[in-house]
Amino acid sequence: MEFTKMQGLGNDFVFLDRISSSAEDSAEDYPQLARKLCHRQFGIGGDGLIVVLPSKVADARMRIFNSDGSEPEMCGNGIRCFARYIYDQGLIISDPMLVETGAGILKLKLFIKEGQVQGVQVDMGEPILRADLIPVLGEGEPVIGQSIEVSGEKYLFTAVSMGNPHCIIFVEDFSSLDFERVGPAIEKHSLFPRKTNVEFIQINSPREITMKVWERGAGPTLACGTGACASVVASILNNRTERIVTVQLPGGDLFIEWGLDNHVYMTGPGNYVFKGNWLGL
Ligand SMILES: N[C@H](CCC[C@H](N)C(=O)O)C(=O)O
């Protein structure tokens, strides 16, 4: 089975193209396939599996599966790779490009120089701030400065959805944070009925933050696009930054703007790693 490996700021994905190839997978295969293909030793390795599919309502459809097999609503780093892939394969050349996702139909603009895709700007749509839609068992809209207790320690968080749930916690410095313990404890905390991605944010200036992320269904990753968007929304809601912010991630920088139109715009790269053939042995 042919696949393409891609990455966006080190958040890496195995791509299966079900527009160009006639392979017949059934929908129930994907969670199991994601677990198998994403395994770092027994498989190809990746934070997730992305399936390229035809769409009746957009130029193409993206389905994303975390490495644990769960299917989230959206993936920010993944959709930038997706846009580059379908453009380079000549599958879609419309500008802007419309992609059907679990978080709705998103509009993407490709920055092309000498025929090469240099970067992608994604209109991520409007942030979801209502507790019941995130979902989080919390009060009010937005959910700001709510406390959560994990292993005897209390943290204040802000909850934002970009189609998928995010729990954002501001930290003074990362050295005092037990990331590997607190991350998974919050991911699976009962306050989040569908679990949650967890972002720890350090404010460097009104236009720059540093983010560490523990992803729902994937664990620690080098970058999270939806998480970077949610973190900028949370920073603005808490009056910590302006509306245009550079998000420094372990894998590189993302450029985020929460526009006055209430849409969040994310700009960043999408890159190839290799193509291959899964032998499944
Ligand atoms: N783990 C996430 C999905 C992948 C999101 C992330 N890789 C991104 O770039 O947005 C979730 O379960 O909501």
Side-chain angles (χ1 to χ4, degrees), residues 11 13 66 72-78 164-165 197 215-216 218 223-227:
N11 194 198
F13 308 96
N66 287 310
E73 302 78 356
M74 213 336 242
C75 179
N77 290 315
N164 59 347
N197 299 284
E215 284 199 36
R216 177 180 65 168
C224 179
T226 51

Side-chain angles (χ1 to χ4, degrees), residues 21 50 95 138 198-200 231 234:
S21 87
I50 288 182
D95 181 21
V198 193
E199 285 84 15
F200 300 96
S231 298

Side-chain angles (χ1 to χ4, degrees), residues 43-69:
I44 299 159
D47 293 326
L49 166 68
I50 288 182
V51 189
V52 181
L53 292 156
S55 167
K56 294 191 176 64
V57 295
D59 293 322
R61 179 184 177 202
M62 177 181 86
R63 287 184 77 181
I64 160 86
F65 296 83
N66 287 310
S67 52
D68 73 349

